Amino acid sequence: MIDHALDRRNTILSKLSDNSMMIIPAADLMTKSRDTHFDFRQDSYFFYLSAINEPNLWLVLMKNNNKTESILFTHEFDPLYLIWDGERITLKDLDLLKIDKGELISEMDTKIPELIKKVEKIYFPAINIKRDKIFKWLDIAYASSRNQAYPIHFEDAYALIDTLRLTKTPQEINWMTKATDISSEGHIHTMRIAKRDMNEYELLNEIYYKYKSLGGDGEAFSGIVASGANACVLHYRDNKDILKKGDLILLDSGSSYKLYCGDITRTFPIGSSFTKEQQALYELVLHVQKSIVSIVKPGLSFETLNKETVKLISQGAIDLGILKGSLEDVIENKLYNAIFMHGIGHWLGIDVHDVGLYKDTSGNPTKFTSGMVITVEPGIYIANHHTHIDPKWHNIGIRIEDNILITKDGYHNLTQKVPKEIDDILKLRNN
């Protein structure tokens, strides 16, 4: 990954204005309570440009007179840290990391203002909480306050990097394939063992165990195991109810591998079969999902996929008697929002909801190109507060989600091995 990060830095440096610098902070180790911490998760931008998975560091990229340099602000060697927490990156590791120069974090308040004075433009993360430190260094550099104009231009570093992150390199696609393969095996395992009287969190623990046993980093995001009516809550997080025969399970989870994410959803019965209503809704969602996946190709956009999804779900719901009125009325008045209230998918990469604009500054939708990775995840959710819908449909939530790589000629479904046809699901469940 070090070589890949070097290539990325060089690409970004080639896009920087001359006499400029980019400042990217690593994530901090976040305190959970007193002297205990949450599990560490690196800042995606810092990892993308460094391949370093440690907290509290800073990366600076410099471009002066068309000469470029990467600088890592890191720690002094500390024997006490080694005893309590293990090894961490110090100045001796620069050659291994292919970083040009190293400086100590303890000297940042002196060194970074000196660097600032050498440039005319700074690229920094405009929405990162650590931007306050950058303004502190600006004050030191210019001996001024924030109420005065700095003699320097600012650009959002994220906007520049996002364009690069949106299209994956062949190596990134390999890592994403590994992440989605691990995610797929976790789903298959969990679909096979689920049974009534288990707890939702038991399934969540099972799938996380499978991810780790297959070499994954662990969960790419906080997973959802939503049984029965819980599946009608889009971001259900409790994962604490008992699985009951006759209900469905909506399982939304993914593993990460080298921080690249999988994100799969499957819906399946806790018992050995679907009820009549469950099967009718499932077949509708499956039809929509397969139809949308089949049309994915370069040149299309999420806007196109969303419009087609709304049309298919609306017509299907009308045919089943769930929604009333003509197709035109249902779409124009957005009556479908009662049962389908989210988009068809999102970008996928180092972040599960990955970076990248869905529309440009002129409002034009971003067109798919080869190397992009998306999710396709239609769903229908009929909570029991929808009194205008026949109660026989109440408390059924269904979502089917696959991870789709845009290719030169169309698409490749990275998660196609996870069963979603009813016969295949029941075969897996009843083995």
Side-chain angles (χ1 to χ4, degrees), residues 203-387:
L203 292 188
L204 203 58
N205 289 338
E206 282 284 345
I207 202 167
Y208 291 167
Y209 163 77
K210 194 67 175 178
Y211 294 160
K212 295 289 284 187
S213 70
L214 292 171
D217 304 331
E219 58 177 325
F221 57 95
S222 297
I224 297 170
V225 181
S227 61
N230 296 334
C232 297
V233 180
L234 297 184
H235 289 166
Y236 175 71
R237 295 183 180 90
D238 289 347
N239 301 315
K240 63 178 178 54
D241 284 356
I242 299 296
L243 310 185
K244 300 181 181 65
K245 185 176 181 180
D247 284 343
L248 298 177
I249 301 172
L250 189 156
L251 174 61
D252 186 346
S253 178
S255 176
S256 65
Y257 178 77
K258 297 186 184 297
L259 260 67
Y260 286 84
C261 299
D263 182 11
I264 304 170
T265 307
R266 289 294 186 267
T267 308
F268 55 94
I270 293 171
S272 59
S273 62
F274 291 83
T275 68
K276 179 181 177 181
E277 287 74 25
Q278 289 170 352
Q279 181 163 334
L281 284 182
Y282 187 92
E283 287 175 342
L284 171 54
V285 175
L286 181 61
H287 167 68
V288 174
Q289 206 258 358
K290 291 167 63 177
S291 297
I292 297 303
V293 169
S294 71
I295 65 173
V296 170
K297 63 180 180 180
L300 291 187
S301 66
F302 274 114
E303 182 175 82
T304 304
L305 300 189
N306 279 317
K307 287 180 179 178
E308 186 64 20
T309 301
V310 166
K311 186 187 303 181
L312 291 171
I313 286 181
S314 298
Q315 187 60 63
I318 292 168
D319 293 343
L320 291 173
I322 296 170
L323 298 179
K324 309 297 183 183
S326 68
L327 179 61
E328 293 75 15
D329 288 340
V330 168
I331 293 176
E332 182 179 352
N333 296 308
K334 297 185 177 181
L335 302 181
Y336 57 84
N337 272 339
I339 62 171
F340 174 63
M341 60 294 291
H342 58 75
I344 187 58
H346 53 79
W347 308 120
L348 188 65
I350 293 180
D351 291 307
V352 67
H353 289 174
D354 208 30
V355 298
L357 296 175
Y358 291 85
K359 291 184 178 181
D360 64 22
T361 54
S362 299
N364 300 311
T366 301
K367 303 291 185 181
F368 299 151
T369 59
S370 179
M372 294 179 176
V373 183
I374 66 172
T375 67
V376 175
E377 49 180 306
I380 290 179
Y381 319 88
I382 308 179
N384 59 13
H385 65 264
H386 290 304
T387 55

Side-chain angles (χ1 to χ4, degrees), residues 41-194:
R41 204 286 187 180
Q42 184 58 282
D43 176 85
S44 297
Y45 293 93
F46 184 88
F47 185 81
Y48 187 77
L49 293 176
S50 71
I52 298 172
N53 198 27
E54 288 191 18
N56 307 324
L57 310 180
W58 289 76
L59 179 67
V60 176
L61 304 181
M62 298 290 298
K63 188 173 185 178
N64 285 106
N65 299 317
N66 288 315
K67 294 181 179 180
T68 62
E69 184 177 48
S70 58
I71 306 169
L72 182 68
F73 284 82
T74 185
H75 308 279
E76 295 183 84
F77 174 74
D78 183 349
L80 284 178
Y81 188 94
L82 182 65
I83 291 170
W84 284 94
D85 295 287
E87 292 188 2
R88 66 179 177 181
I89 289 170
T90 62
L91 296 177
K92 67 178 176 58
D93 300 305
L94 297 180
D95 287 344
L96 179 64
L97 297 170
K98 300 191 175 180
I99 301 288
D100 297 322
K101 184 179 179 181
E103 299 283 3
L104 294 176
I105 290 174
S106 59
E107 298 179 0
M108 291 181 73
D109 286 350
T110 300
K111 297 290 186 180
I112 290 189
E114 290 175 357
L115 295 174
I116 288 174
K117 291 178 183 178
K118 297 178 181 180
V119 300
E120 300 169 353
K121 181 183 288 187
I122 297 180
Y123 297 81
F124 71 96
I127 61 172
N128 190 294
I129 192 171
K130 291 188 176 182
R131 67 186 182 276
D132 286 349
K133 288 191 175 183
I134 297 171
F135 284 111
K136 172 187 173 183
W137 295 324
L138 283 161
D139 287 342
I140 295 171
Y142 298 115
S144 64
S145 71
R146 290 196 204 179
N147 294 326
Q148 297 173 322
Y150 298 116
I152 198 166
H153 299 287
F154 301 107
E155 293 279 351
D156 181 12
Y158 288 171
L160 185 61
I161 302 171
D162 286 355
T163 303
L164 190 61
R165 284 180 57 182
L166 189 54
T167 302
K168 277 61 180 178
T169 65
Q171 181 59 70
E172 288 178 292
I173 291 169
N174 288 339
W175 291 327
M176 293 203 68
T177 300
K178 181 68 172 178
T180 52
D181 283 346
I182 292 170
S183 301
S184 297
E185 291 299 330
H187 272 260
I188 292 169
H189 166 73
T190 308
M191 291 171 71
R192 181 182 289 119
I193 67 167

